[in-house]
């Protein structure tokens, strides 16, 4: 087994997922609150893992409650919004928009109902502590239909809901364009009565139902509006929603009645990546824990640094560069100014390494755990992918022998391949992979990244640069008309995960500002340092736009802003 | 020589469009020709369309091309429905030439042909020669489940994507990103076309950033047009997974996917339309190896 699997978490075996998850930032406090919560985060940042981990934790707690004879406190219900059912589009053929909304909500309500029943079926012994016959009678009465036969009320209810799903789809898929299914459910006609039926039972009397809606950005507009309307319910005593979604500019918070849900008032908004964005040491520690856990799965008792050893020549050359930086700093500040010396070493030692390499030398042998963490740009999926590919390459080379480390040469090779893959994507045109991105848009994005690479290279090689390894940027001198042209280009790059946007303090006034980090996996192929430093280059909007549209080089002057609020990736 | 009430074809810049109409009209007894065209490609197809309209004006239903909007499948669906009603394509013996049709159009047309009780025969003309291009299609749109043939799914099941691969890895990648399937079964066409098997699999392995891919071989140019191999793959998962089928290879296989959907409505059809096609990729028409089949 390759321990660095990074597939969609919803496809992982639950036991394996529990073993892999790092519970440091598990958001349990929010999940176990009765408030509605939105978890925002990029694709691959761990939203699904977080929800599934919490679901399983709450299931375990519920199991304990059952064993102890206590009433249940939380019933977690995980609902994936990326099933083919959610992507069904027959509702678009209905001339009547109301019917389209009804059938869309019906699918979503049934999905929640089925997930609720699945969660209840995961609780062994539940049937011993409730009056199954009474629950079955009540459900039959509510739905005005006898439940199918079966072993236990929830199995019977599952059959009932499954049948409704199939009936609906068969009916909607009938050949006539306006085929409609009349016997639809809404949240209030299926979920609310089910909850009310359950809480009549002593074991559910204090239960709170936690509906975890994963990848809600994929819901259709009617379903989003319906979900937002449910979130807008004032009474959260019996249930609440924990919604995960990618923050997209078009994610609507409108309800079916035309209002909108408000953060703070209707829900709490959590940026799931934020703890790691402004505190690099936190991400470094998380990355180390993730990789350590994965190594445990294959019985390797080595640290991540030992498993991914750095190329010895690179290590030695980096050390030489560090000594050289120290000498320069002492010359400049004297031996006693330790702070200035340390700052200088931090800023310049790696730059010296990259700068003083012979122009004829090959690109640096990128390797070592620190490099792997840095090229991931703070996104967990980006961390696991190179590890996965490296492990596969080692298996091919080792012919069945146990893998106890990834050789530096394999690491270097994989990092170059993946890095070159990013540039190939740009050359081929990301219009190949991004919806509504034209060939011209794709060229603009490629132009922009070429110009950024050139700018960062000039900075790295310039001895006088005050922040030579800055590989993040802010946008200055914004005007409405320039940003109207630039923003779509940046958004396409963001959708292609070539660019990440973070929010942090601006140095001059301490206010928050957005800054942009190109995916650091781009840089090895260009011989740049993916480790970067805590500084942002301020670039004028018109220069970025000119680079994108006309391939004009971004003017280089030393205008970076050091950001002293952050610690290094592995600094404590 | 066979008798057909209607021949349905789709306008194209490819030689195959004109050649196949000429061939079919010469070698069969065909009462009428129903032409569809993609509105967004009008400027590139109108020369060929005009030639056909001029040459066979008596045969062409309405003496015009029925244009559908390629990027708006609701409008396309409704246009086809109206054309079928207006032209009474009901209970007819139909020959549908899928050579130059986008997959969504093949599947939409088959839907209405079946719905209106027509007898459906299909044909496919290969190009005489393929250009070794570095791209075939560009600017893919979001994947779309095909109206009325989207399958019967359950939300508590994981998904399996079964894809007849072509040379456009980007469209496969779009599907994987959208549906996050548990597994992808990639059917590679055997044969010599562009070093099919080797080139195809290598291409996908290199470019797809995805781990759970199983490969199988398929021959769309066999007598069953790949039907039995596809059926075999589906049978392993039909009882406990949501299954989606996508076709990016030879188009006769898309027809067989439709057949499978009719037999197993649980299995859904999905397409990834594109905005751009490489016009240089095919040349001439191979009249020696025409594929024929009968759906109903």
């Amino acid at each position: 087994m390759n321990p660095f699997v990074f597939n969609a978490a919803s496809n992982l075996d639950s036991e394996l997922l529990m073993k892999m998850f790092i519970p440091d930032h598990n958001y349990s406090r929010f999940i176990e609150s009765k408030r509605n919560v939105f978890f925002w985060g990029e694709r691959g940042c761990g939203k699904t893992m977080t929800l599934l981990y919490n679901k399983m934790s709450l299931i375990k707690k519920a199991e304990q409650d059952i064993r102890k004879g206590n009433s249940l406190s939380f019933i977690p219900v995980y609902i994936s919004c990326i099933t083919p059912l959610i992507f069904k589009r027959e509702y678009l053929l209905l001339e009547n928009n109301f019917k389209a909304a009804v059938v869309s909500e019906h699918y979503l309500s049934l999905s929640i109902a089925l997930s609720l029943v699945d969660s209840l079926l995961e609780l062994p012994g539940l049937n011993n502590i409730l009056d199954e016959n009474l629950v079955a009678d009540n459900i039959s009465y509510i739905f005005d239909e006898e439940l199918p036969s079966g072993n236990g009320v929830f199995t019977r209810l599952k059959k009932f809901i499954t049948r409704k799903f199939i009936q609906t789809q068969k009916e909607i898929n009938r050949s006539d364009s306006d085929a409609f299914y009349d016997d639809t459910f809404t949240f209030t006609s299926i979920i609310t009565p089910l909850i009310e039926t359950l809480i009549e039972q002593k074991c559910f009397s204090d239960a709170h139902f936690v509906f975890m809606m994963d990848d809600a950005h994929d819901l259709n507009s009617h379903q989003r509006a319906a979900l937002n309307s449910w979130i807008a319910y004032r009474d959260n005593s019996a249930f609440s929603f924990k919604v995960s979604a990618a923050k997209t500019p078009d994610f609507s918070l409108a309800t079916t009645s035309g209002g909108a849900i408000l953060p703070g008032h209707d829900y709490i908004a959590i940026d799931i990546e934020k703890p790691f964005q402004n505190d690099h040491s936190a991400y470094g520690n998380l990355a180390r824990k993730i990789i350590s856990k994965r190594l445990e799965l294959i019985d390797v008792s080595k640290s991540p640094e030992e498993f991914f050893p750095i190329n010895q020549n690179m290590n030695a050359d980096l050390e030489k560069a560090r000594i050289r930086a120290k000498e320069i700093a002492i010359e400049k500040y004297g031996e006693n100014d330790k702070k200035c010396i340390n700052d200088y070493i931090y800023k310049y030692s790696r730059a010296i390494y990259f700068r003083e390499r012979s122009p004829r030398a090959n690109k640096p042998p990128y390797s070592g755990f620190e490099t792997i963490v840095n090229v991931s740009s703070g996104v967990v999926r980006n961390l696991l992918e190179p590890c996965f590919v490296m492990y596969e390459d080692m298996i091919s080379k080792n012919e069945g022998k146990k893998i106890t480390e990834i050789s530096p040469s394999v690491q270097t090779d994989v990092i170059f391949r993946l890095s070159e893959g990013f540039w190939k994507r740009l050359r081929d045109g990301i219009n190949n992979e991004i919806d509504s991105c034209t060939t011209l848009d794709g060229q603009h994005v490629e132009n922009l990244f070429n110009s950024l690479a050139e700018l960062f290279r000039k900075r790295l090689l310039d001895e006088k640069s005050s922040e030579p390894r800055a590989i993040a940027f802010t946008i200055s001198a914004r005007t409405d008309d320039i940003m109207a042209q630039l923003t779509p280009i940046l958004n396409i790059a963001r959708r292609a995960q070539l660019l990440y946007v973070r929010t942090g303090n601006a140095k001059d006034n301490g206010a928050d500002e957005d800054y942009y980090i190109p995916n650091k996996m781009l840089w090895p192929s260009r011989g740049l340092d993916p480790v970067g430093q805590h500084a942002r280059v301020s670039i004028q909007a018109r220069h970025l736009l000119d680079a994108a549209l006309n391939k004009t080089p971004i003017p280089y002057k030393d205008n970076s802003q050091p950001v002293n609020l952050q610690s290094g990736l592995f600094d404590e | 020589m066979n008798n057909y009430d209607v021949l349905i074809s789709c306008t194209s810049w490819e030689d195959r469009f004109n050649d196949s109409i000429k061939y079919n009209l010469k070698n069969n007894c065909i009462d009428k020709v129903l032409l569809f065209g993609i509105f967004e490609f009008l400027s590139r197809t109108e020369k060929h369309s005009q030639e056909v309209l001029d040459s066979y004006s008596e045969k062409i239903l309405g003496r015009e091309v029925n244009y559908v909007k390629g990027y708006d499948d609701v409008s396309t669906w409704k246009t086809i429905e109206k054309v079928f009603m207006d032209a009474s394509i009901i209970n007819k013996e139909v020959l549908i030439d899928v050579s130059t049709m986008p997959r969504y159009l093949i599947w939409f047309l088959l839907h209405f042909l079946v719905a209106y009780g027509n007898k459906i025969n299909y044909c496919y003309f290969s190009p005489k020669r393929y250009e070794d291009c570095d791209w075939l299609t560009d600017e893919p749109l979001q994947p779309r489940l095909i109206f009325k043939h989207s399958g019967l799914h359950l939300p508590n099941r994981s998904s399996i994507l079964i894809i007849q691969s072509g040379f456009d890895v980007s469209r496969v990648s779009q599907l994987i990103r959208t549906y996050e399937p548990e597994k992808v079964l990639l059917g590679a066409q055997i044969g010599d076309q562009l070093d099919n098997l080797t080139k195809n699999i290598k291409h996908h392995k290199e470019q797809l950033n995805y781990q759970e891919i199983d490969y199988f071989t398929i021959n769309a140019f066999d007598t069953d047009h790949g039907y039995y191999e596809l059926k075999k793959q589906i049978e392993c998962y039909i009882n406990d997974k949501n299954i989606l089928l996508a076709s990016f290879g030879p188009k006769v296989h898309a027809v067989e996917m439709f057949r499978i959907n009719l037999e197993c409505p649980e299995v859904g059809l999905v397409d990834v339309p594109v905005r751009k096609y490489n016009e240089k990729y095919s040349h001439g028409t191979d009249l020696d190896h025409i594929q024929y089949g009968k759906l109903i």
Side-chain angles (χ1 to χ4, degrees), chain A residues 441-560:
Chain A
D441 293 333
Q443 282 165 3
H444 292 159
V445 174
E446 185 194 1
N447 296 344
L448 178 64
F449 279 89
N450 277 323
S451 291
L452 286 169
E454 198 44 45
L455 174 72
F456 293 150
R457 181 159 190 81
K458 280 181 189 160
R459 298 182 61 85
L460 183 66
L461 299 183
D462 179 8
E463 285 180 30
K464 291 176 188 153
S465 175
S466 61
E467 309 289 342
R469 293 185 295 117
I471 47 174
F473 65 92
T474 55
I475 303 176
S476 61
R478 295 165 179 248
T479 63
D480 288 348
D481 58 331
I482 291 177
M483 289 310 292
Q485 294 179 75
L486 182 60
T487 304
I489 299 170
L490 298 175
N491 282 345
I492 288 169
R494 286 179 65 186
R495 280 158 60 203
Q497 297 199 291
L498 292 161
L499 187 68
Y500 296 100
V501 181
R502 311 284 189 230
T503 305
N505 288 114
K507 198 194 174 216
D508 45 3
N509 57 10
D512 272 356
E513 67 172 356
D514 283 343
Y515 62 98
Y516 299 81
I517 302 178
N519 192 315
K520 293 181 185 177
M521 188 53 102
L522 287 155
W523 305 137
S525 177
R526 295 296 175 102
L528 293 171
D529 183 10
V531 172
Q533 70 179 95
H534 306 300
R536 302 164 200 155
V537 184
S538 171
I539 307 175
Q540 289 190 21
R542 68 189 170 95
H543 292 146
L544 287 167
L545 185 63
D546 209 14
L549 301 187
N550 307 314
K551 300 187 184 179
T552 310
I554 298 168
Y556 168 51
K557 57 178 181 173
D558 191 12
N559 54 357
S560 54

Side-chain angles (χ1 to χ4, degrees), chain A residues 3 49-50 58 70 119-120 151 246 248 274 292 419 492 551:
Chain A
M49 279 283 239
T50 301
L58 289 177
N70 299 338
S119 280
L120 296 173
N151 187 16
T248 56
K274 194 131 192 177
S292 298
S419 182
I492 288 169
K551 300 187 184 179

Side-chain angles (χ1 to χ4, degrees), chain A residues 6 88-89 169 431 439, chain B residues 73 138-139 150-151 211 276:
Chain A
F6 59 101
K88 278 182 164 266
R89 305 168 71 248
Q169 293 177 83
N431 37 293
T439 309
Chain B
D73 55 353
D138 195 5
E139 299 184 17
S150 50
Q211 302 140 36
K276 282 189 177 175

Side-chain angles (χ1 to χ4, degrees), chain A residues 56-117:
Chain A
M56 284 176 269
S57 298
L58 289 177
I59 287 279
K60 280 189 177 166
K61 280 186 191 170
E63 280 174 18
Q64 285 168 5
D65 284 338
I66 291 171
R67 271 200 299 274
K68 289 178 189 164
N70 299 338
S71 61
L72 301 165
S73 44
F74 288 99
I75 306 297
V77 183
Y78 173 84
I79 302 110
S80 169
C81 299
I82 53 163
T83 72
L85 206 69
I86 294 294
F87 290 103
K88 278 182 164 266
R89 305 168 71 248
E90 282 80 11
Y91 73 94
L92 292 168
L93 295 174
L94 295 167
E95 298 284 354
N96 183 329
N97 203 38
F98 176 71
K99 283 186 174 178
V102 166
V103 78
S104 297
E105 183 175 346
H106 171 69
Y107 278 138
L108 187 58
S109 304
L110 273 185
S111 297
I112 296 172
L114 190 58
S115 299
L116 168 58
V117 174

Side-chain angles (χ1 to χ4, degrees), chain A residues 6-297:
Chain A
F6 59 101
N7 251 355
S10 52
N11 289 327
L12 287 176
D13 170 67
S14 55
E15 217 169 281
L16 190 60
L17 189 141
M18 289 298 272
K19 281 184 192 165
M20 288 175 169
F21 190 75
I22 308 297
D24 295 17
H25 291 270
N26 58 22
Y27 298 99
S28 298
R29 194 163 62 82
F30 293 98
I31 301 272
E32 293 177 31
S33 77
K34 293 186 176 179
R35 299 287 310 268
N36 297 309
V37 182
F38 266 80
F39 293 100
W40 301 108
E42 310 261 8
R43 183 183 166 87
C45 74
K47 300 186 296 293
T48 302
M49 279 283 239
T50 301
L51 291 184
L52 285 172
Y53 171 83
N54 278 288
K55 183 208 159 186
M56 284 176 269
S57 298
L58 289 177
I59 287 279
K60 280 189 177 166
K61 280 186 191 170
E63 280 174 18
Q64 285 168 5
D65 284 338
I66 291 171
R67 271 200 299 274
K68 289 178 189 164
N70 299 338
S71 61
L72 301 165
S73 44
F74 288 99
I75 306 297
V77 183
Y78 173 84
I79 302 110
S80 169
C81 299
I82 53 163
T83 72
L85 206 69
I86 294 294
F87 290 103
K88 278 182 164 266
R89 305 168 71 248
E90 282 80 11
Y91 73 94
L92 292 168
L93 295 174
L94 295 167
E95 298 284 354
N96 183 329
N97 203 38
F98 176 71
K99 283 186 174 178
V102 166
V103 78
S104 297
E105 183 175 346
H106 171 69
Y107 278 138
L108 187 58
S109 304
L110 273 185
S111 297
I112 296 172
L114 190 58
S115 299
L116 168 58
V117 174
D118 275 336
S119 280
L120 296 173
L121 284 168
E122 279 185 61
L123 296 173
L126 185 58
N127 52 341
N128 299 331
I129 57 167
L130 53 74
D131 187 339
E132 284 219 325
N133 290 334
L134 184 62
V135 173
D137 287 348
N138 282 344
I139 291 172
S140 297
Y141 178 75
I142 292 163
F143 297 142
D144 196 18
E145 205 170 322
E146 197 61 39
L147 288 179
S149 59
N151 187 16
V153 61
F154 297 123
T155 306
R156 295 168 65 197
L157 184 55
K158 184 172 179 171
K159 281 185 187 172
F160 171 82
I161 296 168
T162 302
R163 190 177 65 199
K164 288 287 171 195
F165 263 120
I166 302 300
Q167 279 174 344
T168 309
Q169 293 177 83
K170 278 186 175 168
E171 198 63 23
I172 298 282
N173 279 0
R174 262 189 8 233
S175 63
D176 47 317
S177 297
D178 57 353
F180 181 67
Y181 183 71
D182 283 320
D183 191 15
T184 53
F185 285 110
T186 62
F187 189 82
T188 43
S189 70
I190 188 165
I191 306 299
T192 313
L194 278 177
I195 291 175
E196 283 170 357
T197 301
L198 290 170
I199 56 179
E200 282 174 12
Q201 296 287 310
K202 190 166 173 270
C203 56
F204 283 105
S205 57
D206 294 324
H208 182 83
F209 293 80
V210 182
F211 297 114
M212 302 172 176
M213 312 293 296
D214 195 15
D215 288 324
H217 49 264
D218 281 322
L219 295 174
N220 73 35
S221 58
H222 299 297
Q223 290 167 333
R224 272 190 214 175
L227 173 62
N228 292 339
S229 302
W230 306 335
I231 286 172
Y233 285 170
R234 286 289 164 271
D235 182 4
N236 286 125
S237 55
F239 65 87
S240 61
F241 289 90
K242 318 297 173 190
V243 182
S244 91
K247 217 173 195 174
T248 56
D250 59 341
F251 193 99
S252 167
L253 295 170
T255 64
T256 48
S257 60
I261 50 170
L262 301 170
H265 188 250
D266 298 300
Y267 67 92
I268 300 169
I270 292 175
D271 187 336
I272 206 164
E273 292 160 294
K274 194 131 192 177
F276 308 113
Q277 287 170 2
N278 293 329
D279 181 353
H280 285 228
S281 65
Y283 180 69
N285 287 333
L286 174 75
R288 187 182 283 116
K289 285 180 183 173
I290 288 172
I291 298 301
S292 298
K293 278 244 179 185
R294 301 296 178 110
L295 293 177
E296 279 172 26
L297 293 176

